[in-house]
Short mmCIF file of all heavy atoms in Angstrom, two decimals:
data_model
loop_
_atom_site.label_atom_id
_atom_site.label_comp_id
_atom_site.label_asym_id
_atom_site.label_seq_id
_atom_site.Cartn_x
_atom_site.Cartn_y
_atom_site.Cartn_z
N LYS A 178 14.31 -184.71 25.76
CA LYS A 178 15.30 -184.67 24.69
C LYS A 178 16.52 -183.92 25.16
O LYS A 178 16.41 -182.85 25.77
CB LYS A 178 14.71 -183.99 23.44
CG LYS A 178 15.71 -183.67 22.35
CD LYS A 178 16.28 -184.93 21.71
CE LYS A 178 17.23 -184.58 20.57
NZ LYS A 178 17.85 -185.78 19.97
N THR A 179 17.68 -184.46 24.89
CA THR A 179 18.94 -183.80 25.21
C THR A 179 19.59 -183.33 23.92
O THR A 179 19.96 -184.15 23.07
CB THR A 179 19.89 -184.74 25.96
OG1 THR A 179 19.28 -185.17 27.18
CG2 THR A 179 21.20 -184.05 26.27
N PHE A 180 19.67 -182.02 23.75
CA PHE A 180 20.32 -181.45 22.58
C PHE A 180 21.81 -181.30 22.88
O PHE A 180 22.18 -180.64 23.86
CB PHE A 180 19.70 -180.10 22.22
CG PHE A 180 18.27 -180.20 21.78
CD1 PHE A 180 17.24 -180.06 22.70
CD2 PHE A 180 17.96 -180.44 20.45
CE1 PHE A 180 15.92 -180.15 22.29
CE2 PHE A 180 16.65 -180.55 20.03
CZ PHE A 180 15.62 -180.41 20.96
N GLN A 181 22.63 -181.92 22.07
CA GLN A 181 24.06 -181.97 22.35
C GLN A 181 24.86 -181.12 21.37
O GLN A 181 24.42 -180.86 20.25
CB GLN A 181 24.55 -183.43 22.27
CG GLN A 181 23.84 -184.33 23.27
CD GLN A 181 24.19 -185.79 23.05
OE1 GLN A 181 24.59 -186.19 21.97
NE2 GLN A 181 24.04 -186.59 24.09
N SER A 182 26.02 -180.70 21.83
CA SER A 182 26.90 -179.87 21.00
C SER A 182 27.76 -180.71 20.08
O SER A 182 28.53 -180.16 19.29
CB SER A 182 27.80 -179.00 21.88
OG SER A 182 28.60 -179.83 22.72
N SER A 183 27.66 -182.02 20.15
CA SER A 183 28.47 -182.88 19.30
C SER A 183 27.99 -182.81 17.86
O SER A 183 26.85 -182.47 17.58
CB SER A 183 28.42 -184.32 19.80
OG SER A 183 27.09 -184.78 19.81
N LYS A 184 28.86 -183.18 16.95
CA LYS A 184 28.56 -183.14 15.52
C LYS A 184 27.46 -184.15 15.20
O LYS A 184 27.59 -185.34 15.48
CB LYS A 184 29.82 -183.44 14.71
CG LYS A 184 29.65 -183.25 13.23
CD LYS A 184 30.98 -183.47 12.51
CE LYS A 184 30.84 -183.26 11.02
NZ LYS A 184 32.11 -183.49 10.30
N ASN A 185 26.39 -183.68 14.59
CA ASN A 185 25.27 -184.57 14.29
C ASN A 185 24.61 -184.14 12.97
O ASN A 185 23.42 -183.95 12.90
CB ASN A 185 24.26 -184.53 15.43
CG ASN A 185 23.21 -185.61 15.30
OD1 ASN A 185 23.45 -186.64 14.69
ND2 ASN A 185 22.03 -185.37 15.86
N GLU A 186 25.45 -183.95 11.95
CA GLU A 186 24.94 -183.42 10.68
C GLU A 186 24.33 -184.52 9.83
O GLU A 186 24.48 -185.71 10.09
CB GLU A 186 26.09 -182.76 9.91
CG GLU A 186 27.20 -183.73 9.54
CD GLU A 186 28.35 -183.03 8.86
OE1 GLU A 186 28.38 -181.79 8.86
OE2 GLU A 186 29.21 -183.74 8.32
N ARG A 187 23.62 -184.09 8.78
CA ARG A 187 23.01 -185.04 7.86
C ARG A 187 24.07 -185.75 7.03
O ARG A 187 25.06 -185.14 6.62
CB ARG A 187 22.04 -184.33 6.92
CG ARG A 187 20.77 -183.84 7.60
CD ARG A 187 19.81 -183.27 6.57
NE ARG A 187 18.53 -182.95 7.16
CZ ARG A 187 17.48 -182.56 6.45
NH1 ARG A 187 17.58 -182.45 5.14
NH2 ARG A 187 16.34 -182.28 7.04
N LEU A 188 23.85 -187.01 6.79
CA LEU A 188 24.75 -187.79 5.96
C LEU A 188 23.98 -188.32 4.76
O LEU A 188 22.96 -188.99 4.91
CB LEU A 188 25.34 -188.97 6.75
CG LEU A 188 26.22 -189.93 5.94
CD1 LEU A 188 27.47 -189.22 5.43
CD2 LEU A 188 26.62 -191.13 6.80
N HIS A 189 24.44 -187.98 3.58
CA HIS A 189 23.79 -188.45 2.36
C HIS A 189 24.46 -189.74 1.89
O HIS A 189 25.68 -189.90 1.98
CB HIS A 189 23.89 -187.40 1.25
CG HIS A 189 22.99 -186.22 1.47
ND1 HIS A 189 21.76 -186.10 0.87
CD2 HIS A 189 23.14 -185.12 2.25
CE1 HIS A 189 21.20 -184.97 1.25
NE2 HIS A 189 22.01 -184.36 2.10
N PHE A 190 23.64 -190.66 1.39
CA PHE A 190 24.17 -191.93 0.90
C PHE A 190 23.20 -192.51 -0.11
O PHE A 190 22.14 -191.96 -0.36
CB PHE A 190 24.39 -192.90 2.07
CG PHE A 190 23.11 -193.40 2.68
CD1 PHE A 190 22.70 -194.71 2.46
CD2 PHE A 190 22.32 -192.57 3.45
CE1 PHE A 190 21.51 -195.17 3.00
CE2 PHE A 190 21.14 -193.03 3.99
CZ PHE A 190 20.73 -194.33 3.77
N TYR A 191 23.58 -193.64 -0.69
CA TYR A 191 22.75 -194.29 -1.71
C TYR A 191 22.08 -195.54 -1.14
O TYR A 191 22.72 -196.35 -0.47
CB TYR A 191 23.59 -194.67 -2.93
CG TYR A 191 23.98 -193.48 -3.77
CD1 TYR A 191 25.20 -192.85 -3.58
CD2 TYR A 191 23.12 -192.97 -4.73
CE1 TYR A 191 25.56 -191.75 -4.34
CE2 TYR A 191 23.47 -191.87 -5.49
CZ TYR A 191 24.69 -191.27 -5.30
OH TYR A 191 25.03 -190.18 -6.05
N ARG A 192 20.79 -195.68 -1.43
CA ARG A 192 20.05 -196.88 -1.04
C ARG A 192 18.88 -197.07 -2.01
O ARG A 192 18.55 -196.18 -2.78
CB ARG A 192 19.50 -196.75 0.39
CG ARG A 192 18.49 -195.61 0.56
CD ARG A 192 17.80 -195.69 1.92
NE ARG A 192 16.95 -194.53 2.17
CZ ARG A 192 15.72 -194.38 1.69
NH1 ARG A 192 15.19 -195.29 0.90
NH2 ARG A 192 15.02 -193.30 1.98
N PHE A 193 18.26 -198.24 -1.94
CA PHE A 193 17.06 -198.50 -2.74
C PHE A 193 15.85 -197.85 -2.07
O PHE A 193 15.87 -197.57 -0.87
CB PHE A 193 16.82 -200.00 -2.90
CG PHE A 193 17.84 -200.68 -3.76
CD1 PHE A 193 18.78 -201.54 -3.21
CD2 PHE A 193 17.87 -200.45 -5.13
CE1 PHE A 193 19.72 -202.17 -4.01
CE2 PHE A 193 18.81 -201.07 -5.93
CZ PHE A 193 19.73 -201.93 -5.38
N ARG A 194 14.80 -197.63 -2.84
CA ARG A 194 13.57 -197.05 -2.30
C ARG A 194 12.94 -197.99 -1.26
O ARG A 194 13.08 -199.20 -1.33
CB ARG A 194 12.56 -196.77 -3.42
CG ARG A 194 13.01 -195.66 -4.37
CD ARG A 194 11.97 -195.41 -5.44
NE ARG A 194 12.40 -194.38 -6.37
CZ ARG A 194 12.25 -193.07 -6.17
NH1 ARG A 194 11.65 -192.65 -5.06
NH2 ARG A 194 12.67 -192.19 -7.05
N ASN A 195 12.24 -197.38 -0.28
CA ASN A 195 11.52 -198.11 0.77
C ASN A 195 12.45 -198.94 1.66
O ASN A 195 12.05 -199.99 2.17
CB ASN A 195 10.44 -199.01 0.15
CG ASN A 195 9.45 -198.25 -0.68
OD1 ASN A 195 9.03 -197.15 -0.31
ND2 ASN A 195 9.06 -198.80 -1.82
N THR A 196 13.68 -198.47 1.85
CA THR A 196 14.62 -199.19 2.73
C THR A 196 15.20 -198.25 3.78
O THR A 196 16.23 -198.53 4.37
CB THR A 196 15.77 -199.80 1.92
OG1 THR A 196 16.45 -198.76 1.17
CG2 THR A 196 15.26 -200.85 0.94
N ARG A 197 14.51 -197.13 4.07
CA ARG A 197 15.06 -196.08 4.94
C ARG A 197 15.47 -196.61 6.32
O ARG A 197 16.54 -196.26 6.82
CB ARG A 197 14.03 -194.96 5.10
CG ARG A 197 14.45 -193.88 6.11
CD ARG A 197 13.48 -192.71 6.11
NE ARG A 197 13.72 -191.77 7.18
CZ ARG A 197 14.68 -190.85 7.19
NH1 ARG A 197 15.50 -190.76 6.16
NH2 ARG A 197 14.81 -190.03 8.20
N PHE A 198 14.64 -197.44 6.93
CA PHE A 198 14.92 -197.86 8.30
C PHE A 198 15.51 -199.27 8.38
O PHE A 198 15.55 -199.85 9.47
CB PHE A 198 13.64 -197.77 9.14
CG PHE A 198 13.22 -196.35 9.40
CD1 PHE A 198 12.16 -195.80 8.70
CD2 PHE A 198 13.90 -195.56 10.30
CE1 PHE A 198 11.77 -194.49 8.92
CE2 PHE A 198 13.52 -194.25 10.53
CZ PHE A 198 12.46 -193.71 9.83
N GLU A 199 15.97 -199.81 7.28
CA GLU A 199 16.68 -201.08 7.36
C GLU A 199 18.02 -200.86 8.04
O GLU A 199 18.66 -199.81 7.90
CB GLU A 199 16.88 -201.67 5.96
CG GLU A 199 15.59 -202.18 5.34
CD GLU A 199 15.82 -202.96 4.06
OE1 GLU A 199 17.00 -203.23 3.73
OE2 GLU A 199 14.82 -203.29 3.38
N GLU A 200 18.47 -201.85 8.79
CA GLU A 200 19.63 -201.69 9.66
C GLU A 200 20.89 -201.27 8.91
O GLU A 200 21.70 -200.49 9.43
CB GLU A 200 19.89 -203.01 10.41
CG GLU A 200 20.79 -202.84 11.60
CD GLU A 200 20.73 -204.04 12.53
OE1 GLU A 200 19.75 -204.78 12.48
OE2 GLU A 200 21.69 -204.19 13.31
N ASN A 201 21.06 -201.73 7.69
CA ASN A 201 22.25 -201.39 6.92
C ASN A 201 22.30 -199.92 6.52
O ASN A 201 23.36 -199.41 6.15
CB ASN A 201 22.33 -202.25 5.65
CG ASN A 201 22.62 -203.69 5.96
OD1 ASN A 201 23.11 -204.01 7.03
ND2 ASN A 201 22.30 -204.57 5.02
N TYR A 202 21.14 -199.24 6.58
CA TYR A 202 21.06 -197.87 6.09
C TYR A 202 20.76 -196.86 7.19
O TYR A 202 20.31 -195.75 6.92
CB TYR A 202 19.99 -197.77 5.00
CG TYR A 202 20.24 -198.68 3.83
CD1 TYR A 202 19.30 -199.61 3.42
CD2 TYR A 202 21.44 -198.60 3.12
CE1 TYR A 202 19.54 -200.45 2.34
CE2 TYR A 202 21.68 -199.43 2.04
CZ TYR A 202 20.74 -200.35 1.66
OH TYR A 202 20.96 -201.18 0.58
N THR A 203 20.97 -197.21 8.45
CA THR A 203 20.74 -196.27 9.54
C THR A 203 22.03 -196.04 10.32
O THR A 203 22.91 -196.90 10.36
CB THR A 203 19.67 -196.81 10.52
OG1 THR A 203 20.09 -198.09 11.02
CG2 THR A 203 18.32 -196.93 9.84
N LEU A 204 22.14 -194.87 10.93
CA LEU A 204 23.31 -194.52 11.73
C LEU A 204 23.00 -194.72 13.20
O LEU A 204 21.99 -194.23 13.70
CB LEU A 204 23.68 -193.05 11.49
CG LEU A 204 24.29 -192.69 10.13
CD1 LEU A 204 24.52 -191.19 10.06
CD2 LEU A 204 25.60 -193.42 9.93
N SER A 205 23.84 -195.43 13.90
CA SER A 205 23.68 -195.62 15.33
C SER A 205 24.21 -194.41 16.07
O SER A 205 25.29 -193.89 15.75
CB SER A 205 24.42 -196.88 15.79
OG SER A 205 23.90 -198.02 15.15
N THR A 206 23.45 -193.90 17.04
CA THR A 206 23.87 -192.72 17.79
C THR A 206 24.01 -193.06 19.27
O THR A 206 23.29 -193.88 19.82
CB THR A 206 22.83 -191.58 17.64
OG1 THR A 206 21.56 -192.04 18.12
CG2 THR A 206 22.70 -191.17 16.18
N THR A 207 24.94 -192.40 19.91
CA THR A 207 25.15 -192.55 21.36
C THR A 207 25.36 -191.17 21.97
O THR A 207 25.61 -190.19 21.26
CB THR A 207 26.38 -193.42 21.66
OG1 THR A 207 27.53 -192.83 21.01
CG2 THR A 207 26.20 -194.83 21.14
N ASN A 208 25.25 -191.07 23.28
CA ASN A 208 25.48 -189.79 23.96
C ASN A 208 26.94 -189.40 23.86
O ASN A 208 27.84 -190.21 24.04
CB ASN A 208 25.07 -189.89 25.43
CG ASN A 208 23.57 -190.07 25.58
OD1 ASN A 208 22.80 -189.60 24.74
ND2 ASN A 208 23.15 -190.75 26.64
N SER A 209 27.19 -188.12 23.62
CA SER A 209 28.55 -187.67 23.39
C SER A 209 29.26 -187.27 24.69
O SER A 209 30.48 -187.29 24.76
CB SER A 209 28.55 -186.48 22.44
OG SER A 209 27.93 -185.36 23.07
N GLY A 210 28.50 -186.83 25.71
CA GLY A 210 29.11 -186.36 26.94
C GLY A 210 29.57 -184.92 26.85
O GLY A 210 30.16 -184.40 27.79
N ARG A 211 29.30 -184.24 25.76
CA ARG A 211 29.69 -182.85 25.62
C ARG A 211 28.59 -181.92 26.15
O ARG A 211 27.63 -182.37 26.75
CB ARG A 211 30.01 -182.54 24.15
CG ARG A 211 31.16 -183.38 23.60
CD ARG A 211 31.46 -183.01 22.17
NE ARG A 211 32.53 -183.84 21.63
CZ ARG A 211 33.00 -183.72 20.40
NH1 ARG A 211 32.51 -182.82 19.56
NH2 ARG A 211 33.98 -184.51 19.98
N PHE A 212 28.72 -180.63 25.87
CA PHE A 212 27.75 -179.64 26.32
C PHE A 212 26.36 -180.02 25.81
O PHE A 212 26.20 -180.37 24.65
CB PHE A 212 28.15 -178.26 25.79
CG PHE A 212 27.13 -177.20 26.06
CD1 PHE A 212 27.06 -176.60 27.29
CD2 PHE A 212 26.23 -176.82 25.07
CE1 PHE A 212 26.13 -175.63 27.55
CE2 PHE A 212 25.28 -175.84 25.32
CZ PHE A 212 25.23 -175.24 26.57
N SER A 213 25.36 -179.96 26.70
CA SER A 213 24.03 -180.38 26.31
C SER A 213 22.97 -179.52 26.99
O SER A 213 23.22 -178.90 28.03
CB SER A 213 23.81 -181.85 26.63
OG SER A 213 23.95 -182.07 28.02
N VAL A 214 21.75 -179.50 26.39
CA VAL A 214 20.60 -178.81 26.95
C VAL A 214 19.47 -179.81 27.06
O VAL A 214 19.10 -180.46 26.08
CB VAL A 214 20.16 -177.62 26.07
CG1 VAL A 214 18.89 -176.98 26.62
CG2 VAL A 214 21.28 -176.59 25.96
N ASN A 215 18.90 -179.94 28.27
CA ASN A 215 17.83 -180.91 28.52
C ASN A 215 16.46 -180.26 28.37
O ASN A 215 16.22 -179.16 28.89
CB ASN A 215 17.97 -181.50 29.92
CG ASN A 215 19.30 -182.21 30.10
OD1 ASN A 215 19.73 -182.96 29.23
ND2 ASN A 215 19.95 -181.98 31.23
#
Side-chain angles (χ1 to χ4, degrees):
K178 170 67 177 177
T179 300
F180 295 92
Q181 301 172 337
S182 60
S183 58
K184 187 176 181 180
N185 191 25
E186 62 184 11
R187 289 185 173 187
L188 175 64
H189 287 262
F190 70 107
Y191 287 94
R192 63 170 173 81
F193 291 109
R194 293 181 181 276
N195 302 320
T196 58
R197 174 173 171 79
F198 290 104
E199 289 189 8
E200 197 164 339
N201 290 340
Y202 301 123
T203 57
L204 289 177
S205 299
T206 59
T207 56
N208 293 330
S209 67
R211 299 182 182 181
F212 173 81
S213 60
V214 176
N215 300 316

